[in-house]
Amino acid sequence: MTVIVVAACPVGLRGHLTRWLLEISAGVFVGKVSARVRGLLWQRTVEMVKSGRAIMVFSANNEQGLDFKVHKHEWIPIDVEGVTLMLRPNETTGDPAQASTERTHGWSSASRRRRFRGH
């Protein structure tokens, strides 16, 4: 299975991708193609995307069963002990290398309690 998501791309790229993949939503293409065709599709996507961005997720023979490729995307795939994760940029600096590691609290006040108050 291969999924390609494009944003702010020329119409010609979307037309090219629909030759091989099914467009299930605006800019989201899904299909099952060989590794060779997938590589050529990604190469053509990178050439045609211009100022837009693209991300491709595809089946792979690893622990997760999938792999990523990104082009001009803010989030970067990184390998953490054999698992691919997406590194989000820090909101204040925009630098993915300084991604925030602070823990955020949810909407519930229970997540802010420091100790359990039992009976």
Side-chain angles (χ1 to χ4, degrees):
M1 176 73 76
T2 301
V3 178
I4 297 178
V5 180
V6 294
C9 69
V11 177
L13 173 58
R14 291 175 67 181
H16 179 74
L17 290 173
T18 57
R19 293 179 189 166
W20 298 95
L21 305 170
L22 179 64
E23 187 171 15
I24 61 170
S25 185
V28 180
F29 300 87
V30 182
K32 186 171 182 175
V33 294
S34 68
R36 181 176 181 190
V37 171
R38 181 182 67 231
L40 292 171
L41 279 173
W42 182 247
Q43 182 180 4
R44 188 71 172 151
T45 300
V46 170
E47 290 171 2
M48 293 181 70
V49 78
K50 305 226 188 242
S51 63
R53 63 178 186 237
I55 186 166
M56 179 172 68
V57 183
F58 55 94
S59 301
N61 192 14
N62 59 19
E63 285 292 321
Q64 290 176 292
L66 53 94
D67 203 359
F68 307 90
K69 287 187 184 259
V70 296
H71 179 71
K72 291 188 179 180
H73 204 276
E74 298 155 356
W75 294 15
I76 304 168
I78 60 168
D79 183 79
V80 178
E81 297 181 13
V83 176
T84 304
L85 302 173
M86 294 301 283
L87 178 65
R88 293 173 46 176
N90 187 342
E91 289 82 18
T92 57
T93 64
D95 183 11
Q98 296 179 359
S100 176
T101 58
E102 284 187 32
R103 195 170 179 175
T104 59
H105 297 290
W107 56 268
S108 170
S109 62
S111 65
R112 294 184 198 101
R113 292 185 187 145
R114 294 187 182 259
R115 61 185 179 141
F116 176 74
R117 296 180 186 165
H119 292 70

